Amino acid sequence: YIKNREKVIARTILWTKNNPDKRERFARKYRYKKFGLTISDYDGMVAAQQGRCAICSCEPRRDRLVVDHCHLSGSVRGLLCHDCNTMLGLAKEDTVRLLRAVAYLGRYKEDT
């Protein structure tokens, strides 16, 4: 419980509005810190992947690639676009499920 909660919120909103660059840098630092990465680490990964998703090779529709990590070990695997990251999450990172999905799609592949 914060004693002057409304004042703190108002001050934070005002600071964010007046300092968009500082706010973005702070947000990036926090976003990658939880994966054990620095902003430089992330930027290096982006450069190594040439700014493209590690799965589909697309350039992200949104402003950045998402850090993909193993939910069991916590180790970082690479950077993905939002759609590929969501796909892995919905499949619960289950390779058997993903291979079955590939086989399923293969059975119904239309001849073009």
Side-chain angles (χ1 to χ4, degrees):
Y1 177 76
I2 298 174
K3 188 175 181 179
N4 296 313
R5 186 171 190 261
E6 292 80 19
K7 288 181 182 181
V8 171
I9 291 171
R11 197 169 43 239
T12 301
I13 290 170
L14 182 62
W15 183 89
T16 300
K17 183 179 177 182
N18 292 331
N19 299 283
D21 294 338
K22 288 181 183 179
R23 189 247 176 247
E24 178 57 26
R25 182 152 178 82
F26 176 80
R28 288 184 77 209
K29 182 178 178 181
Y30 175 77
R31 185 180 307 132
Y32 308 134
K33 185 177 181 179
K34 63 186 172 185
F35 300 110
L37 299 173
T38 64
I39 293 173
S40 296
D41 294 334
Y42 176 85
D43 291 343
M45 291 174 71
V46 171
Q49 290 182 205
Q50 300 174 339
R52 297 182 173 277
C53 173
I55 292 178
C56 71
S57 297
C58 75
E59 291 182 15
R61 287 184 310 196
R62 298 180 183 187
D63 61 339
R64 67 178 187 278
L65 293 165
V66 179
V67 177
D68 175 47
H69 67 288
C70 174
H71 287 95
L72 295 176
S73 69
S75 63
V76 173
R77 294 186 283 226
L79 303 177
L80 304 177
C81 68
H82 173 77
D83 291 347
C84 288
N85 188 55
T86 300
M87 173 186 64
L88 291 183
L90 291 173
K92 299 182 170 113
E93 300 181 16
D94 182 345
T95 55
V96 173
R97 180 184 289 211
L98 291 167
L99 289 170
R100 286 179 179 167
V102 169
Y104 171 81
L105 289 173
R107 287 194 305 268
Y108 296 99
K109 182 179 178 183
E110 297 192 25
D111 297 333
T112 53

